[in-house]
């Protein structure tokens, strides 16, 4: 299958009438000839959201088994697209074929995980406090809580994961699993990939007999479609991955609506890495190699890229910097996702280079005429400069990082305290570093969504325990994760049913427990 340039609204393929655009190949710096993608209008947004609104009650009322089968059918349809999907994504993103094949595996794995989550029913958080008619001085009513979906969700595909964080990525999979219809705004950096995946979702919706409107895909020029989608009264929540500026613009629209809605925007994080003294003394060179590999993975275009390294100054840190510089020096330049992202990377580096007290200590191989290709870079500064100039912690989205030399652990903790909210923090430590780690951990718990030891933050496992979130500006809502089974919670809210007759209750709350799910009954968790 090849893309045709259409939007997908409910069961229909619709040619956008508000202008058009070809996809772009950042590796050749040229447009991809076919097809032309037609831009939608506000009427198309109305149509997609109208269908989603009409589909909502029937979709959320389907048996959970049907919802789970739908998610699995999407995964199967994506796999059935075969190499055409991987090749198209490669042409539009410059990402290597092997990386995209892995990302497709993650995408379908994510859909299948959410199918399991739906079947299990635990996400409904069924909670029952049975009536106590004899209680003194007042009787207690029968109270039962379960989660219901918020309503249609708008999803903005991310540029840096054209499959796993886009049309059928984590936001879409978790919203559909919650029982919420989804309207996706395709990212302009991978229009053909978006259409192909969108067609897989549309086909699965039809073959599984889902109500029309459970999924739509819109394409838009500039900001018009995105803004209209977030402002539409039928949309009840938003999932977004992208820039801080874009996320904040959408958050403002969502907050200024007559009915403000929750925005789950993942935006900016520099993922500090703390090199603790004993680990550094024992294995500075090995740590440097691991760091250089993590920094340059995917041209550094990971939200969990290690953009800041902190360590106590001394000969061991010098060994680390020298080894990291050597490892980065032989890293080839890599094509970035778009000319805009490449320009932003260069601009970010120029801004860091202009800061007093910052020294560039290493550079990757030259791009040698390869368009939009990022060269790795490593900078060193002193903690005092960072403490005086917090602007140094701005994200350089790409393969560049700053090593910060601290006087002692206490100064490292001061820097950690100054940092903005982060998706991750990494501790590279040995047993002798436990006391230093103990001093840092309370600060890191305040700042981060995930704290890891003796690894690197790139690579986010999709599982039940994952947290891919964190305080602002890592995300706009630190209470949730956008990766892993708990991502479903973003699109659910609790309803309490008081003295509602058993036959009228949702299945999860009926006394006979027809779903066989785990429930908290009178404070005791049981599958009864
Ligand atoms: P972006 O510019 O924020 O765009 C993301 C999506 O939001 C796109 O669909 C875009 O529309 C839309 N959008 C952006 N601003 C909008 C607004 N004011 N109103 C309505 N819609 C809006 O992000 P990007 O293109 O992926 O990358 C740009 C920069 O974002 C990068 O250089 C990097 O700094 C950062 N980034 C960070 C992460 C991370 O995880 N931390 C991930 C990706 C990117 P169009 O498609 O029409 O442009």
């Amino acid at each position: 299958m090849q893309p045709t340039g259409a939007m997908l609204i409910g069961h229909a393929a619709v040619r956008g009438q508000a202008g058009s655009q070809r996809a772009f190949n950042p590796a050749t710096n040229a447009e991809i000839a076919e097809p032309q993608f037609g831009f939608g209008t506000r009427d198309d947004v109305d149509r997609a959201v109208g269908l989603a609104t009409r589909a909502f009650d029937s979709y959320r009322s389907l048996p959970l088994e049907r919802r789970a089968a739908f998610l699995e059918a999407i995964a199967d349809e994506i796999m059935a697209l075969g190499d055409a999907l991987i090749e198209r994504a490669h042409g539009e993103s410059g990402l290597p074929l092997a990386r995209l094949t892995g990302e497709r595996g993650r995408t379908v794995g994510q859909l299948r995980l959410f199918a399991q989550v739906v079947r299990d029913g635990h996400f409904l958080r069924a909670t029952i406090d049975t009536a106590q008619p004899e209680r003194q001085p007042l009787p207690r009513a029968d109270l039962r809580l379960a989660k219901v979906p918020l309503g249609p969700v708008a999803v903005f595909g991310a540029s840096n994961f054209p499959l796993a964080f886009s049309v059928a990525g984590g936001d879409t999979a978790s919203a559909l699993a919650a029982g919420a219809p989804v309207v996706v705004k395709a990212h302009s950096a991978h229009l053909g990939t978006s259409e192909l995946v969108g067609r897989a979702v549309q086909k699965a919706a039809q073959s599984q007999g889902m109500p029309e409107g459970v999924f739509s895909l819109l394409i838009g020029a500039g900001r018009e479609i995105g803004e209209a989608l977030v402002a539409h009264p039928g949309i009840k929540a938003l999932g977004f991955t992208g820039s801080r500026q874009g996320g904040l613009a959408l958050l403002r629209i969502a907050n200024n609506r007559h009915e403000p809605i929750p925005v789950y925007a993942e935006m900016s994080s520099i993922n500090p890495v703390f090199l603790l003294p004993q680990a550094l003394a024992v294995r500075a060179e090995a740590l440097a190699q691991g760091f250089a590999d993590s920094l340059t993975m995917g041209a550094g275009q990971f939200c969990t890229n290690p953009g800041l390294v902190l360590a106590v100054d001394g000969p061991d840190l010098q060994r680390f910097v020298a080894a990291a510089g050597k490892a980065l020096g032989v890293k080839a330049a890599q094509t970035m996702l778009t000319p805009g992202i490449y320009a932003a990377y260069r601009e970010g580096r120029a801004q860091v280079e202009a800061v007093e007290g910052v020294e560039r200590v290493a550079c990757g191989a030259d791009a040698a005429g390869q368009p939009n290709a990022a060269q790795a870079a490593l900078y060193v500064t002193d903690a005092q400069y960072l403490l005086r100039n917090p602007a140094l912690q701005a994200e350089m989205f790409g393969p560049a990082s700053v090593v910060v030399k601290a006087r002692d652990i206490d100064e490292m903790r001061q820097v950690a305290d100054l940092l903005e909210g982060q998706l991750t923090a990494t501790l590279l430590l040995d047993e002798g570093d436990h006391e230093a780690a103990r001093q840092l951990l309370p600060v890191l718990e305040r700042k981060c969504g995930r704290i890891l030891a003796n690894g690197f933050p790139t690579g986010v496992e999709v599982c039940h325990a994952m947290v891919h979130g964190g305080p602002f500006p890592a995300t706009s809502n630190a209470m949730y994760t956008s990766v892993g089974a708990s991502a479903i919670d973003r699109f659910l809210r609790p309803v309490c049913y008081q003295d509602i007759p058993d036959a009228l209750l949702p299945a999860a709350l009926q006394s006979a427990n027809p779903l066989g799910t785990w429930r908290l009954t009178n404070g005791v968790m049981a599958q009864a």
Side-chain angles (χ1 to χ4, degrees):
M1 186 193 282
Q2 292 301 324
T4 65
M7 298 184 291
L8 306 171
I9 301 183
H11 292 340
V14 177
R15 178 90 210 158
Q17 299 298 325
S20 65
Q21 179 186 332
R22 289 192 169 92
F24 190 84
N25 183 334
T28 58
N29 228 12
E31 287 183 337
I32 299 171
E34 291 300 329
Q36 292 254 21
F37 292 85
F39 295 142
T41 60
R42 283 171 186 263
D43 286 347
D44 295 312
V45 174
D46 271 347
R47 224 163 117 203
V49 180
L51 280 172
T53 304
R54 282 196 289 284
F56 179 43
D57 277 338
S58 35
Y59 178 59
R60 75 190 183 91
S61 310
L62 287 172
L64 294 182
E65 178 52 41
R66 297 264 320 269
R67 214 190 278 175
F70 173 40
L71 293 166
E72 286 166 343
I74 297 172
D76 293 343
E77 292 295 348
I78 290 173
M79 290 311 294
L81 290 168
D83 290 347
L85 175 65
I86 303 296
E87 280 155 17
R88 181 79 200 188
H90 172 64
E92 291 184 331
S93 68
L95 294 171
L97 294 169
R99 141 77 200 267
L100 289 162
T101 304
E103 192 182 325
R104 177 179 60 184
R106 178 195 168 117
T107 308
V108 299
Q110 203 157 243
L111 286 157
R112 292 186 175 127
L113 172 75
F114 278 111
Q116 257 180 44
V117 167
V118 169
R119 278 199 185 97
D120 168 62
H122 190 55
F123 74 99
L124 295 166
R125 298 284 184 268
T127 304
I128 299 173
D129 288 319
T130 50
Q132 295 177 353
E134 313 301 331
R135 191 181 70 171
Q136 292 299 330
L138 288 173
R140 183 172 83 182
D142 182 272
L143 296 156
R144 297 177 184 230
L145 174 156
K147 297 271 188 110
V148 299
L150 291 177
V153 171
V155 170
F156 282 65
S159 59
N160 57 339
F161 281 85
L163 301 172
F165 279 79
S166 285
V167 175
D171 286 344
T172 298
S174 53
L176 290 176
V182 169
V183 181
V184 177
K185 146 79 172 73
H187 197 289
S188 50
H190 44 74
L191 294 169
T193 309
S194 295
E195 185 190 330
L196 290 177
V197 175
R199 284 188 182 270
V201 183
Q202 192 185 50
K203 200 166 163 195
Q206 286 176 275
S207 72
Q208 296 296 311
M210 294 294 124
E212 182 172 14
V214 71
F215 170 81
S216 290
L217 172 69
L218 299 172
I219 300 171
R223 302 286 135 97
E224 198 182 332
I225 288 286
E227 289 175 359
L229 187 57
V230 179
H232 198 291
I235 290 295
K236 301 300 178 192
L238 165 66
F240 168 94
T241 301
S243 66
R244 183 167 175 161
Q245 200 185 12
L248 287 178
L250 297 177
L251 186 63
R252 272 193 295 275
I253 296 172
N255 285 339
N256 288 334
R257 290 166 43 125
H258 172 70
E259 177 197 358
I261 52 170
V263 173
Y264 305 107
E266 191 209 310
M267 297 172 288
S268 172
S269 180
I270 55 170
N271 307 296
V273 173
F274 296 82
L275 293 174
L276 297 184
Q278 196 176 71
L280 199 53
V282 173
R283 47 198 164 98
E285 286 76 13
L287 293 176
Q289 185 63 52
F291 161 74
D293 293 344
S294 173
L295 181 68
T296 51
M297 191 186 284
Q301 300 164 118
F302 278 80
C303 28
T304 50
N305 207 45
L308 194 76
V309 178
L310 292 106
V312 175
D313 197 10
D316 296 328
L317 180 58
Q318 283 164 20
R319 279 169 49 220
F320 173 88
V321 169
K326 201 166 154 203
L328 289 172
V330 294
K331 295 281 183 193
Q334 297 175 71
T335 305
M336 296 195 88
L337 295 156
T338 66
I341 288 177
Y342 174 62
Y345 173 62
R346 287 175 60 107
E347 173 62 24
R349 278 186 54 188
Q351 279 175 12
V352 164
E353 284 174 19
V355 174
E356 186 201 355
V358 174
E359 182 195 356
R360 191 176 73 197
V361 290
C363 249
D366 188 77
Q370 189 187 334
N372 303 310
Q375 209 178 2
L378 187 66
Y379 301 93
V380 172
T381 192
D382 194 276
Q384 285 305 314
Y385 287 107
L386 184 63
L387 290 168
R388 281 206 297 272
N389 187 355
L392 250 183
Q393 55 173 309
E395 184 184 26
M396 288 180 275
F397 191 68
S401 189
V402 181
V403 176
V404 178
K405 298 182 288 182
R407 218 175 26 241
D408 50 24
I409 297 293
D410 192 51
E411 196 172 51
M412 274 168 87
R413 202 171 53 75
Q414 280 179 49
V415 173
D417 223 353
L418 175 99
L419 293 178
E420 295 186 303
Q422 304 291 335
L423 293 170
T424 71
T426 302
L427 295 166
L428 297 173
L429 78 175
D430 280 354
E431 218 170 312
D433 293 315
H434 283 196
E435 192 41 49
R438 236 173 242 118
Q439 289 181 49
L440 291 167
L441 275 166
V443 184
L444 302 186
E445 284 166 355
R446 271 195 276 118
K447 299 282 174 176
C448 306
R450 177 164 59 110
I451 304 167
L452 62 146
N454 293 334
F456 288 95
T458 38
V460 182
E461 187 69 35
V462 179
C463 61
H464 288 82
M466 179 48 66
V467 175
H468 188 65
F472 180 83
T475 76
S476 57
N477 190 330
M479 289 166 64
Y480 296 94
T481 172
S482 63
V483 176
S486 310
I488 195 171
D489 294 335
R490 298 173 300 166
F491 304 117
L492 294 163
R493 66 182 178 83
V495 172
C496 177
Y497 301 84
Q498 183 168 336
D499 286 335
I500 301 292
D502 203 64
L504 299 181
L505 284 168
L509 295 179
Q510 289 172 6
S511 294
N513 194 9
L515 300 183
T517 188
W518 285 88
R519 312 195 290 191
L520 189 68
T521 303
N522 294 323
V524 177
M525 188 60 93
Q527 206 170 8

